[in-house]
Structures are given as structure tokens and as C-alpha cells.
Coordinates of all heavy atoms in Angstrom, one line a residue:
M258 N -12.0 -26.0 -8.3 CA -11.3 -25.0 -9.1 C -11.7 -23.6 -8.6 O -12.8 -23.3 -8.2 CB -11.7 -25.1 -10.6 CG -10.9 -24.1 -11.5 SD -11.5 -24.2 -13.1 CE -10.9 -22.6 -13.7
I259 N -10.6 -22.8 -8.4 CA -10.8 -21.5 -7.9 C -11.4 -20.6 -8.9 O -10.8 -20.5 -10.0 CB -9.5 -20.8 -7.3 CG1 -9.0 -21.8 -6.2 CG2 -9.7 -19.4 -6.8 CD1 -7.5 -21.4 -5.8
H260 N -12.5 -19.8 -8.6 CA -12.9 -18.8 -9.6 C -12.5 -17.4 -9.1 O -12.7 -17.0 -8.0 CB -14.4 -18.9 -9.6 CG -14.9 -20.1 -10.4 ND1 -14.7 -20.2 -11.8 CD2 -15.4 -21.3 -10.0 CE1 -15.2 -21.4 -12.1 NE2 -15.6 -22.1 -11.1
Y261 N -12.1 -16.7 -10.1 CA -11.6 -15.3 -9.7 C -12.6 -14.3 -10.4 O -13.1 -14.6 -11.4 CB -10.3 -15.0 -10.3 CG -9.1 -15.8 -9.7 CD1 -8.7 -17.0 -10.2 CD2 -8.6 -15.3 -8.4 CE1 -7.7 -17.7 -9.5 CE2 -7.5 -16.0 -7.8 CZ -7.1 -17.2 -8.3 OH -6.1 -17.9 -7.8
T262 N -12.7 -13.1 -9.7 CA -13.5 -12.1 -10.4 C -12.6 -10.9 -10.4 O -11.8 -10.7 -9.5 CB -14.8 -11.7 -9.6 OG1 -14.5 -11.5 -8.2 CG2 -15.9 -12.8 -9.7
C263 N -12.9 -10.0 -11.4 CA -12.1 -8.8 -11.5 C -12.5 -7.8 -10.3 O -13.7 -7.7 -10.1 CB -12.4 -8.1 -12.8 SG -11.7 -6.4 -13.0
D264 N -11.5 -7.4 -9.7 CA -11.8 -6.5 -8.4 C -12.3 -5.1 -8.9 O -12.6 -4.3 -8.1 CB -10.5 -6.4 -7.6 CG -10.2 -7.7 -6.8 OD1 -11.2 -8.3 -6.3 OD2 -9.1 -8.1 -6.8
L265 N -12.1 -4.8 -10.1 CA -12.6 -3.4 -10.6 C -14.0 -3.5 -11.1 O -14.9 -2.8 -10.7 CB -11.6 -2.8 -11.5 CG -10.5 -2.0 -10.9 CD1 -9.6 -1.4 -12.1 CD2 -11.1 -0.9 -10.1
C266 N -14.2 -4.4 -12.2 CA -15.5 -4.4 -12.8 C -16.4 -5.6 -12.3 O -17.6 -5.6 -12.7 CB -15.4 -4.5 -14.3 SG -14.8 -5.9 -15.0
G267 N -15.9 -6.5 -11.6 CA -16.6 -7.7 -11.1 C -16.8 -8.8 -12.1 O -17.5 -9.8 -11.9
A268 N -16.1 -8.7 -13.4 CA -16.3 -9.7 -14.4 C -15.7 -11.0 -13.9 O -14.7 -10.9 -13.1 CB -15.6 -9.2 -15.6
R269 N -16.3 -12.1 -14.2 CA -15.8 -13.4 -13.8 C -14.6 -13.8 -14.7 O -14.7 -13.6 -15.9 CB -16.9 -14.4 -13.8 CG -16.6 -15.6 -13.1 CD -17.9 -16.4 -12.8 NE -17.5 -17.8 -12.7 CZ -18.3 -18.7 -12.2 NH1 -19.5 -18.3 -11.8 NH2 -18.0 -19.9 -12.1
L270 N -13.6 -14.3 -14.1 CA -12.4 -14.6 -14.8 C -12.2 -16.1 -14.8 O -11.8 -16.7 -13.8 CB -11.1 -13.9 -14.2 CG -11.2 -12.4 -14.1 CD1 -10.1 -11.8 -13.2 CD2 -11.1 -11.8 -15.5
D271 N -12.6 -16.7 -15.9 CA -12.5 -18.2 -16.0 C -11.2 -18.6 -16.6 O -10.5 -17.7 -17.1 CB -13.8 -18.7 -16.8 CG -15.0 -18.6 -15.9 OD1 -14.9 -18.7 -14.7 OD2 -16.1 -18.3 -16.5
G272 N -11.1 -19.8 -16.7 CA -9.8 -20.4 -17.1 C -9.1 -19.7 -18.3 O -7.9 -19.4 -18.3
E273 N -10.0 -19.6 -19.4 CA -9.3 -19.1 -20.6 C -9.1 -17.6 -20.6 O -8.3 -17.0 -21.4 CB -10.0 -19.6 -21.9 CG -11.4 -18.9 -22.1 CD -12.5 -19.9 -21.7 OE1 -12.2 -20.7 -20.7 OE2 -13.6 -19.8 -22.2
D274 N -9.8 -16.8 -19.7 CA -9.5 -15.4 -19.7 C -8.3 -15.1 -18.9 O -7.9 -15.8 -17.9 CB -10.6 -14.7 -18.8 CG -12.0 -14.8 -19.5 OD1 -12.0 -14.8 -20.8 OD2 -13.1 -15.0 -18.8
Q275 N -7.5 -14.2 -19.5 CA -6.2 -13.9 -18.8 C -6.5 -13.1 -17.5 O -7.3 -12.1 -17.6 CB -5.2 -13.2 -19.7 CG -3.9 -12.9 -19.0 CD -2.8 -13.1 -19.9 OE1 -2.8 -12.9 -21.1 NE2 -1.5 -13.5 -19.4
R276 N -5.9 -13.4 -16.4 CA -6.1 -12.7 -15.2 C -4.8 -12.0 -14.9 O -3.6 -12.5 -15.0 CB -6.3 -13.7 -14.0 CG -6.5 -13.1 -12.7 CD -7.1 -14.1 -11.8 NE -6.2 -15.3 -11.7 CZ -5.2 -15.4 -10.7 NH1 -5.0 -14.5 -9.8 NH2 -4.5 -16.5 -10.7
F277 N -4.9 -10.7 -14.5 CA -3.7 -9.8 -14.2 C -3.7 -9.5 -12.7 O -4.8 -9.2 -12.2 CB -3.8 -8.5 -15.0 CG -3.7 -8.8 -16.5 CD1 -4.8 -9.1 -17.3 CD2 -2.4 -8.8 -17.1 CE1 -4.7 -9.3 -18.6 CE2 -2.3 -9.1 -18.5 CZ -3.5 -9.3 -19.2
V278 N -2.6 -9.6 -12.1 CA -2.5 -9.4 -10.6 C -1.8 -8.1 -10.5 O -0.7 -7.8 -11.0 CB -1.7 -10.5 -10.0 CG1 -1.6 -10.3 -8.5 CG2 -2.4 -11.9 -10.2
V279 N -2.4 -7.2 -9.6 CA -1.8 -5.9 -9.2 C -1.4 -6.0 -7.8 O -2.3 -6.4 -6.9 CB -2.8 -4.7 -9.4 CG1 -2.2 -3.4 -9.0 CG2 -3.3 -4.6 -10.8
K280 N -0.1 -5.8 -7.5 CA 0.3 -5.8 -6.1 C 0.7 -4.4 -5.8 O 1.6 -3.9 -6.5 CB 1.4 -6.9 -5.9 CG 1.0 -8.3 -5.9 CD 2.2 -9.2 -5.6 CE 1.7 -10.6 -5.6 NZ 2.8 -11.5 -5.4
I281 N 0.3 -3.8 -4.7 CA 0.7 -2.5 -4.3 C 1.3 -2.5 -2.9 O 0.7 -3.2 -2.0 CB -0.5 -1.6 -4.3 CG1 -1.1 -1.5 -5.7 CG2 -0.1 -0.2 -3.9 CD1 -2.4 -0.7 -5.8
E282 N 2.4 -2.1 -2.8 CA 3.0 -2.0 -1.5 C 3.2 -0.5 -1.1 O 3.7 0.3 -2.0 CB 4.5 -2.6 -1.5 CG 4.4 -4.1 -1.6 CD 5.8 -4.6 -1.7 OE1 6.5 -4.5 -2.7 OE2 6.2 -5.2 -0.6
V283 N 2.9 -0.1 0.1 CA 3.1 1.3 0.6 C 3.8 1.3 1.8 O 3.4 0.6 2.8 CB 1.7 1.9 0.8 CG1 1.8 3.4 1.2 CG2 0.8 1.8 -0.4
Y284 N 5.0 1.9 1.9 CA 5.7 2.0 3.1 C 6.6 3.2 3.1 O 6.8 3.8 2.1 CB 6.6 0.7 3.3 CG 7.5 0.4 2.0 CD1 8.7 0.9 1.8 CD2 7.0 -0.5 1.0 CE1 9.4 0.6 0.8 CE2 7.8 -0.8 0.0 CZ 9.0 -0.2 -0.2 OH 9.7 -0.6 -1.3
A285 N 7.0 3.6 4.4 CA 7.8 4.8 4.5 C 9.2 4.6 3.9 O 9.7 3.4 3.8 CB 8.1 5.1 6.0
S286 N 9.7 5.6 3.3 CA 11.0 5.5 2.6 C 12.2 5.0 3.6 O 12.0 5.4 4.8 CB 11.3 6.7 1.8 OG 11.7 7.7 2.7
A287 N 13.2 4.5 3.1 CA 14.3 4.0 4.0 C 14.8 5.2 4.8 O 15.2 5.1 6.0 CB 15.3 3.3 3.2
D288 N 14.8 6.4 4.2 CA 15.4 7.6 5.0 C 14.7 7.8 6.2 O 15.3 8.1 7.3 CB 15.3 8.9 4.1 CG 15.9 8.7 2.7 OD1 16.6 7.7 2.5 OD2 15.7 9.6 1.9
E289 N 13.4 7.7 6.1 CA 12.6 8.0 7.4 C 12.6 6.8 8.3 O 12.3 7.0 9.5 CB 11.2 8.3 6.9 CG 11.1 9.6 6.3 CD 9.7 9.9 5.7 OE1 8.8 9.5 6.4 OE2 9.6 10.4 4.6
Q290 N 13.1 5.6 7.9 CA 13.1 4.5 8.8 C 14.4 4.4 9.6 O 14.5 3.6 10.4 CB 12.8 3.2 8.0 CG 11.4 3.1 7.6 CD 11.2 1.7 6.8 OE1 12.1 1.3 6.2 NE2 10.0 1.2 6.9
S291 N 15.4 5.2 9.2 CA 16.6 5.2 9.9 C 16.7 6.4 10.7 O 17.3 7.4 10.3 CB 17.8 5.1 8.9 OG 17.5 4.4 7.8
P292 N 16.3 6.4 12.0 CA 16.4 7.6 12.8 C 17.8 7.8 13.1 O 18.7 6.9 13.1 CB 15.6 7.2 14.1 CG 15.7 5.7 14.1 CD 15.7 5.2 12.7
S293 N 18.2 9.1 13.5 CA 19.5 9.4 13.9 C 19.7 9.1 15.3 O 18.8 9.5 16.1 CB 19.9 10.7 13.5 OG 19.1 11.7 14.2
F294 N 20.7 8.5 15.8 CA 20.9 8.1 17.2 C 21.7 9.2 17.9 O 22.8 9.6 17.4 CB 21.5 6.7 17.4 CG 20.6 5.7 16.9 CD1 20.9 5.0 15.7 CD2 19.5 5.3 17.6 CE1 20.0 3.9 15.3 CE2 18.6 4.2 17.2 CZ 18.9 3.6 16.1
P295 N 21.2 9.6 19.1 CA 22.0 10.6 19.8 C 23.4 10.0 20.3 O 23.4 8.8 20.6 CB 21.1 11.0 20.9 CG 20.0 10.0 21.0 CD 20.0 9.2 19.8
D296 N 24.4 10.8 20.4 CA 25.7 10.4 20.9 C 25.7 10.1 22.3 O 26.4 9.2 22.8 CB 26.8 11.4 20.5 CG 27.0 11.5 19.0 OD1 26.7 10.5 18.3 OD2 27.3 12.6 18.5
D297 N 25.0 10.9 23.1 CA 25.0 10.8 24.6 C 24.2 9.5 24.9 O 23.0 9.4 24.6 CB 24.2 12.1 25.0 CG 24.0 12.0 26.6 OD1 24.4 11.0 27.2 OD2 23.4 12.9 27.1
P298 N 24.9 8.6 25.6 CA 24.2 7.3 26.0 C 22.9 7.5 26.9 O 22.0 6.7 26.7 CB 25.2 6.5 26.8 CG 26.5 7.3 26.7 CD 26.2 8.6 26.1
D299 N 22.9 8.4 27.7 CA 21.7 8.7 28.5 C 20.6 9.1 27.7 O 19.5 8.7 27.8 CB 22.0 9.8 29.6 CG 22.9 9.2 30.7 OD1 23.0 8.0 30.9 OD2 23.5 10.0 31.4
Q300 N 20.9 10.0 26.7 CA 19.8 10.5 25.8 C 19.4 9.3 25.0 O 18.1 9.2 24.7 CB 20.4 11.6 24.9 CG 19.4 12.2 23.9 CD 18.3 12.9 24.6 OE1 18.4 13.4 25.7 NE2 17.2 13.0 23.9
L301 N 20.2 8.4 24.5 CA 19.9 7.3 23.8 C 18.9 6.4 24.6 O 17.9 5.9 24.1 CB 21.1 6.4 23.3 CG 20.9 5.3 22.4 CD1 20.2 5.7 21.1 CD2 22.2 4.6 22.1
D302 N 19.3 6.1 25.9 CA 18.5 5.3 26.7 C 17.1 5.9 26.8 O 16.1 5.2 26.8 CB 19.1 5.2 28.2 CG 20.2 4.2 28.2 OD1 20.3 3.5 27.2 OD2 20.9 4.2 29.3
Y303 N 17.1 7.2 27.0 CA 15.7 7.9 27.2 C 14.9 7.7 25.9 O 13.7 7.4 26.0 CB 16.0 9.4 27.4 CG 14.8 10.2 27.4 CD1 13.9 10.2 28.6 CD2 14.4 11.1 26.4 CE1 12.7 10.9 28.6 CE2 13.3 11.8 26.4 CZ 12.4 11.8 27.5 OH 11.2 12.4 27.5
E304 N 15.6 7.9 24.8 CA 14.8 7.8 23.5 C 14.3 6.4 23.2 O 13.2 6.2 22.7 CB 15.6 8.3 22.3 CG 16.1 9.8 22.5 CD 16.0 10.5 21.2 OE1 15.8 9.9 20.1 OE2 16.1 11.8 21.2
I305 N 15.1 5.4 23.6 CA 14.7 4.0 23.5 C 13.5 3.7 24.4 O 12.5 3.0 24.0 CB 15.8 3.0 23.7 CG1 16.9 3.1 22.6 CG2 15.3 1.6 23.9 CD1 18.1 2.3 22.8
E306 N 13.6 4.2 25.5 CA 12.5 4.0 26.5 C 11.2 4.7 26.1 O 10.2 4.1 26.1 CB 12.9 4.7 27.8 CG 12.1 4.3 29.1 CD 12.7 5.0 30.3 OE1 13.8 4.7 30.6 OE2 11.9 5.7 30.9
Q307 N 11.3 5.9 25.5 CA 10.1 6.6 24.9 C 9.5 5.8 23.8 O 8.3 5.6 23.7 CB 10.6 8.0 24.4 CG 11.0 9.0 25.4 CD 9.8 9.4 26.3 OE1 8.7 9.9 25.8 NE2 9.9 9.2 27.6
L308 N 10.4 5.3 22.9 CA 10.0 4.6 21.8 C 9.3 3.3 22.2 O 8.2 2.9 21.7 CB 11.2 4.2 20.9 CG 10.9 3.5 19.5 CD1 10.0 4.4 18.6 CD2 12.1 3.1 18.8
T309 N 9.8 2.6 23.1 CA 9.3 1.3 23.7 C 7.9 1.6 24.3 O 7.0 0.9 24.1 CB 10.2 0.7 24.7 OG1 11.5 0.7 24.2 CG2 9.8 -0.7 25.1
E310 N 7.7 2.7 25.0 CA 6.5 3.1 25.6 C 5.5 3.4 24.6 O 4.3 2.9 24.7 CB 6.6 4.2 26.6 CG 7.0 3.9 28.0 CD 7.3 5.1 28.8 OE1 6.7 6.1 28.6 OE2 8.1 4.9 29.8
S311 N 5.9 4.1 23.6 CA 4.9 4.5 22.5 C 4.4 3.3 21.7 O 3.3 3.2 21.3 CB 5.4 5.6 21.6 OG 6.4 5.1 20.8
L312 N 5.4 2.3 21.6 CA 5.0 1.1 20.8 C 4.1 0.2 21.7 O 3.2 -0.5 21.2 CB 6.3 0.3 20.3 CG 7.0 1.0 19.2 CD1 8.3 0.2 18.9 CD2 6.1 1.0 17.9
A313 N 4.4 0.2 23.0 CA 3.6 -0.6 23.9 C 2.1 -0.2 24.0 O 1.2 -0.9 24.1 CB 4.2 -0.7 25.3
D314 N 1.9 1.2 23.9 CA 0.6 1.7 23.9 C -0.1 1.6 22.5 O -1.3 1.6 22.6 CB 0.7 3.2 24.2 CG 1.1 3.5 25.6 OD1 1.1 2.5 26.4 OD2 1.5 4.6 25.9
A315 N 0.6 1.5 21.5 CA 0.0 1.5 20.1 C -0.6 0.1 19.9 O -0.1 -0.9 20.3 CB 1.1 1.9 19.1
D316 N -1.7 0.2 19.0 CA -2.4 -1.0 18.6 C -1.4 -1.6 17.4 O -1.0 -0.8 16.6 CB -3.7 -0.6 18.0 CG -4.4 -1.7 17.4 OD1 -4.2 -2.9 17.8 OD2 -5.2 -1.5 16.4
A317 N -1.1 -2.9 17.5 CA -0.3 -3.5 16.5 C -0.7 -3.3 15.1 O 0.2 -3.0 14.2 CB -0.1 -5.0 16.8
D318 N -2.0 -3.3 14.9 CA -2.5 -3.0 13.5 C -2.2 -1.7 13.0 O -1.8 -1.3 11.9 CB -4.0 -3.3 13.4 CG -4.3 -4.7 13.4 OD1 -3.4 -5.6 13.2 OD2 -5.5 -5.1 13.7
E319 N -2.3 -0.7 14.0 CA -2.0 0.7 13.7 C -0.5 0.9 13.3 O -0.2 1.7 12.4 CB -2.4 1.6 14.9 CG -3.8 2.0 14.9 CD -4.2 2.9 16.1 OE1 -3.2 3.7 16.6 OE2 -5.3 2.8 16.6
V320 N 0.3 0.3 14.1 CA 1.7 0.4 13.8 C 2.0 -0.1 12.4 O 2.7 0.4 11.7 CB 2.6 -0.3 14.9 CG1 4.1 -0.4 14.5 CG2 2.4 0.3 16.3
E321 N 1.4 -1.3 12.1 CA 1.7 -1.9 10.8 C 1.1 -1.0 9.7 O 1.8 -0.8 8.7 CB 1.1 -3.3 10.8 CG 1.6 -4.1 9.5 CD 1.1 -5.4 9.4 OE1 1.1 -6.1 10.4 OE2 0.7 -5.8 8.3
D322 N 0.0 -0.4 9.9 CA -0.7 0.4 8.9 C 0.2 1.6 8.7 O 0.3 2.1 7.5 CB -2.0 0.9 9.3 CG -3.1 -0.1 9.1 OD1 -2.7 -1.2 8.6 OD2 -4.3 0.1 9.5
A323 N 0.8 2.2 9.7 CA 1.6 3.3 9.6 C 3.0 3.0 9.0 O 3.6 3.9 8.4 CB 1.9 4.0 11.0
T324 N 3.4 1.8 9.0 CA 4.7 1.4 8.4 C 4.7 0.7 7.1 O 5.5 0.9 6.3 CB 5.6 0.6 9.3 OG1 4.8 -0.5 9.8 CG2 5.9 1.4 10.6
Y325 N 3.6 -0.2 6.9 CA 3.5 -1.0 5.7 C 2.1 -1.4 5.4 O 1.4 -1.8 6.3 CB 4.4 -2.3 5.9 CG 4.3 -3.2 4.6 CD1 5.2 -2.9 3.6 CD2 3.3 -4.1 4.6 CE1 5.1 -3.8 2.5 CE2 3.2 -4.9 3.4 CZ 4.0 -4.7 2.4 OH 4.0 -5.5 1.3
R326 N 1.8 -1.2 4.1 CA 0.5 -1.8 3.7 C 0.6 -2.4 2.4 O 1.3 -1.9 1.5 CB -0.5 -0.6 3.5 CG -1.2 0.0 4.7 CD -1.9 -0.9 5.6 NE -3.2 -1.4 5.0 CZ -4.3 -0.9 5.0 NH1 -4.5 0.3 5.6 NH2 -5.3 -1.4 4.5
G327 N 0.1 -3.6 2.3 CA 0.2 -4.3 1.0 C -1.3 -4.7 0.5 O -2.1 -4.9 1.2
F328 N -1.4 -4.5 -0.8 CA -2.7 -4.9 -1.5 C -2.5 -5.7 -2.6 O -1.4 -5.7 -3.3 CB -3.4 -3.6 -2.0 CG -3.6 -2.5 -1.0 CD1 -2.6 -1.5 -0.7 CD2 -4.8 -2.5 -0.2 CE1 -2.7 -0.5 0.2 CE2 -4.9 -1.4 0.7 CZ -3.9 -0.5 1.0
R329 N -3.4 -6.6 -2.9 CA -3.3 -7.4 -4.1 C -4.7 -7.5 -4.7 O -5.7 -7.7 -4.1 CB -3.0 -8.8 -3.6 CG -2.8 -9.8 -4.7 CD -2.6 -11.2 -4.2 NE -2.4 -12.2 -5.2 CZ -3.4 -12.7 -6.0 NH1 -4.6 -12.2 -5.8 NH2 -3.2 -13.5 -7.0
F330 N -4.7 -7.2 -6.1 CA -6.0 -7.3 -6.8 C -5.9 -8.0 -8.1 O -4.9 -8.1 -8.7 CB -6.4 -5.8 -7.2 CG -6.5 -4.8 -6.1 CD1 -5.5 -3.9 -5.8 CD2 -7.6 -4.8 -5.2 CE1 -5.5 -3.0 -4.7 CE2 -7.7 -4.0 -4.2 CZ -6.6 -3.0 -4.0
D331 N -7.0 -8.7 -8.4 CA -7.1 -9.4 -9.7 C -7.8 -8.5 -10.7 O -8.9 -8.0 -10.3 CB -7.8 -10.7 -9.5 CG -7.1 -11.7 -8.6 OD1 -5.8 -11.9 -8.8 OD2 -7.7 -12.2 -7.6
L332 N -7.3 -8.4 -11.9 CA -8.0 -7.6 -12.9 C -8.3 -8.4 -14.1 O -7.4 -9.3 -14.6 CB -7.2 -6.3 -13.2 CG -6.9 -5.4 -12.1 CD1 -6.1 -4.2 -12.7 CD2 -8.1 -4.9 -11.4
C333 N -9.3 -8.1 -14.9 CA -9.5 -8.6 -16.2 C -8.6 -7.9 -17.2 O -8.0 -6.8 -16.8 CB -11.0 -8.5 -16.6 SG -11.6 -6.8 -16.8
R334 N -8.5 -8.3 -18.5 CA -7.7 -7.6 -19.4 C -8.1 -6.1 -19.7 O -7.2 -5.3 -19.7 CB -7.8 -8.4 -20.7 CG -6.9 -7.8 -21.8 CD -6.9 -8.5 -23.2 NE -6.3 -9.8 -23.1 CZ -5.0 -10.0 -23.1 NH1 -4.2 -9.0 -23.4 NH2 -4.5 -11.2 -23.0
R335 N -9.3 -5.9 -19.7 CA -9.8 -4.6 -20.0 C -9.4 -3.6 -18.8 O -8.9 -2.5 -19.0 CB -11.4 -4.6 -20.1 CG -11.9 -3.3 -20.8 CD -13.4 -3.6 -21.1 NE -14.2 -3.8 -19.9 CZ -15.0 -3.0 -19.3 NH1 -15.2 -1.8 -19.9 NH2 -15.5 -3.2 -18.2
C336 N -9.7 -4.0 -17.6 CA -9.4 -3.2 -16.5 C -7.9 -3.1 -16.3 O -7.4 -2.0 -15.8 CB -10.0 -3.7 -15.2 SG -11.8 -3.6 -15.2
H337 N -7.2 -4.2 -16.6 CA -5.7 -4.1 -16.5 C -5.2 -3.0 -17.5 O -4.3 -2.2 -17.2 CB -5.1 -5.5 -16.9 CG -3.8 -5.5 -17.5 ND1 -3.5 -5.5 -18.9 CD2 -2.6 -5.5 -16.9 CE1 -2.2 -5.6 -19.1 NE2 -1.6 -5.5 -17.9
N338 N -5.7 -2.9 -18.7 CA -5.3 -1.9 -19.6 C -5.6 -0.5 -19.1 O -4.8 0.5 -19.2 CB -6.0 -2.1 -21.0 CG -5.4 -3.3 -21.7 OD1 -4.3 -3.8 -21.4 ND2 -6.1 -3.9 -22.7
R339 N -6.8 -0.3 -18.6 CA -7.2 0.9 -18.0 C -6.3 1.3 -16.8 O -5.9 2.5 -16.7 CB -8.7 0.9 -17.6 CG -9.6 1.0 -18.8 CD -11.0 1.5 -18.4 NE -11.4 1.4 -17.0 CZ -12.6 0.9 -16.6 NH1 -13.4 0.4 -17.5 NH2 -13.0 0.9 -15.4
Y340 N -6.0 0.3 -16.0 CA -5.2 0.6 -14.8 C -3.8 1.0 -15.2 O -3.3 2.0 -14.6 CB -5.1 -0.7 -13.9 CG -4.3 -0.4 -12.7 CD1 -4.9 0.3 -11.6 CD2 -3.0 -0.9 -12.6 CE1 -4.2 0.5 -10.5 CE2 -2.2 -0.6 -11.4 CZ -2.8 0.1 -10.4 OH -2.1 0.4 -9.3
L341 N -3.3 0.4 -16.2 CA -1.9 0.7 -16.6 C -1.8 2.1 -17.2 O -0.8 2.8 -17.1 CB -1.3 -0.4 -17.6 CG -0.9 -1.6 -17.1 CD1 -0.3 -2.5 -18.1 CD2 0.0 -1.5 -15.9
S342 N -2.9 2.5 -17.8 CA -2.9 3.9 -18.4 C -3.0 5.0 -17.3 O -2.7 6.2 -17.6 CB -3.9 4.0 -19.5 OG -5.3 4.1 -18.8
D343 N -3.4 4.6 -16.1 CA -3.6 5.7 -15.1 C -3.5 5.0 -13.7 O -4.5 5.1 -12.9 CB -5.0 6.3 -15.3 CG -5.2 7.5 -14.4 OD1 -4.2 8.0 -13.8 OD2 -6.3 7.9 -14.2
P344 N -2.2 4.5 -13.4 CA -2.3 3.7 -12.1 C -2.5 4.5 -10.8 O -2.8 4.0 -9.8 CB -0.8 3.2 -12.1 CG 0.0 4.0 -13.2 CD -1.1 4.5 -14.1
L345 N -2.2 5.9 -10.8 CA -2.4 6.6 -9.6 C -3.8 7.4 -9.7 O -4.0 8.3 -8.9 CB -1.3 7.6 -9.4 CG 0.0 6.9 -9.0 CD1 1.1 7.9 -8.8 CD2 -0.2 6.1 -7.7
F346 N -4.6 7.1 -10.7 CA -5.9 7.7 -10.8 C -5.8 9.2 -11.0 O -6.8 10.0 -10.6 CB -6.8 7.3 -9.7 CG -6.9 5.8 -9.5 CD1 -6.3 5.2 -8.4 CD2 -7.5 5.0 -10.4 CE1 -6.3 3.9 -8.2 CE2 -7.5 3.6 -10.2 CZ -6.9 3.1 -9.2
R347 N -4.8 9.7 -11.6 CA -4.6 11.1 -11.8 C -5.7 11.7 -12.7 O -6.3 12.6 -12.5 CB -3.2 11.4 -12.3 CG -2.2 11.3 -11.3 CD -0.8 11.7 -11.9 NE 0.3 11.7 -10.9 CZ 1.4 11.4 -11.1 NH1 1.8 11.0 -12.3 NH2 2.4 11.5 -10.2
A348 N -5.8 11.0 -13.9 CA -6.7 11.4 -14.9 C -8.2 11.3 -14.3 O -9.0 12.2 -14.5 CB -6.6 10.6 -16.2
A349 N -8.4 10.2 -13.6 CA -9.8 10.0 -13.0 C -10.1 11.1 -12.0 O -11.2 11.7 -12.0 CB -9.9 8.6 -12.4
K350 N -9.1 11.5 -11.2 CA -9.2 12.6 -10.2 C -9.5 13.9 -10.9 O -10.4 14.6 -10.5 CB -7.9 12.7 -9.5 CG -8.0 13.1 -8.1 CD -6.7 12.9 -7.4 CE -6.3 14.1 -6.7 NZ -4.9 14.1 -6.1
K351 N -8.8 14.2 -12.0 CA -9.1 15.5 -12.7 C -10.5 15.5 -13.3 O -11.2 16.4 -13.2 CB -8.0 15.5 -13.9 CG -6.8 16.3 -13.6 CD -6.1 16.7 -14.8 CE -4.6 17.1 -14.3 NZ -3.6 16.6 -15.2
R352 N -10.9 14.3 -13.8 CA -12.3 14.2 -14.5 C -13.3 14.5 -13.3 O -14.4 15.1 -13.6 CB -12.5 12.9 -15.1 CG -12.0 12.7 -16.5 CD -12.7 11.6 -17.2 NE -12.5 10.3 -16.5 CZ -11.5 9.5 -16.6 NH1 -10.4 9.8 -17.3 NH2 -11.3 8.4 -15.9
M353 N -13.0 14.1 -12.1 CA -14.0 14.3 -11.1 C -13.9 15.6 -10.5 O -14.7 16.0 -9.5 CB -13.8 13.2 -10.0 CG -14.2 11.8 -10.5 SD -14.4 10.6 -9.2 CE -12.8 10.5 -8.6
G354 N -12.9 16.5 -10.9 CA -12.9 17.9 -10.5 C -12.1 18.2 -9.2 O -12.3 19.2 -8.6
F355 N -11.3 17.2 -8.8 CA -10.5 17.5 -7.6 C -9.3 18.3 -8.1 O -8.8 18.2 -9.1 CB -9.9 16.2 -7.0 CG -11.0 15.4 -6.4 CD1 -11.4 14.3 -6.9 CD2 -11.4 15.8 -5.0 CE1 -12.4 13.5 -6.3 CE2 -12.4 15.0 -4.4 CZ -12.9 13.9 -5.0
S356 N -8.9 19.3 -7.2 CA -7.8 20.2 -7.4 C -6.6 19.4 -7.2 O -6.4 18.5 -6.4 CB -7.8 21.4 -6.7 OG -7.7 21.1 -5.3
E357 N -5.4 19.8 -7.9 CA -4.2 19.2 -7.9 C -3.3 19.7 -6.8 O -2.2 20.3 -7.1 CB -3.4 19.3 -9.3 CG -3.9 18.5 -10.3 CD -3.6 17.0 -10.1 OE1 -2.4 16.7 -9.8 OE2 -4.5 16.1 -10.2
N358 N -3.6 19.6 -5.5 CA -2.7 20.1 -4.5 C -2.5 19.2 -3.3 O -2.9 18.2 -3.3 CB -2.9 21.5 -4.1 CG -4.4 21.6 -3.6 OD1 -5.1 20.6 -3.3 ND2 -4.9 22.9 -3.5
Ligands
ZN1467 ZN1 -12.5 -5.8 -15.0

């Protein structure tokens, strides 16, 4: 049997404890993923060549990190309630004295 622990507080989540799953996806918005293509075919060839070169030089993990990141966490009921009340840690950030900019 698989045993889960809460990724925030470390509490062990056994069969009768309810486990909550948080999935977070971070990716560039669709607007930024659709580049505008130049009308001039030579310019388009040039841009494709540049893009191909830059992708060939880039580390595959870096490219993926820059375009998409997915996270999955298991939470206990208590941490789930806390997480839902402040999913972007805004209140926690304020409490720690970070400025809002
Ligand atoms: Zn917890």
C-alpha cells in the first residue's frame, strides 16, 4: 500500500485521512506563444533559421522550464484549508515583510 505524506507539514496521510491533491501548471499565455510571422519569405526563412539555431543550442530542460512547469502536491485537510485561503501566499508574503511590487 502506498503511504502519502503531506507536502507542507509532513503529516502522514493514511487510508482514512482525506488526501487533497494540488496541481499547479505554469506556462506562457497563448498570446505570447503565437509569434507573428513576417510576410517576406526570406525574412521568414531567416527567422526560422535563427529559432532553430537557438533551440539547438538550448538545453532541453531549460526550454521546457521556460515554456511549461507542472507541480503536484499532496496535502492533509488542515494544509488544504490553509492553502485554499491563500494560494499565492500573498498574506504569508505580507507577514514576512516583503513589499508588494
Ligand atoms: Zn499538512
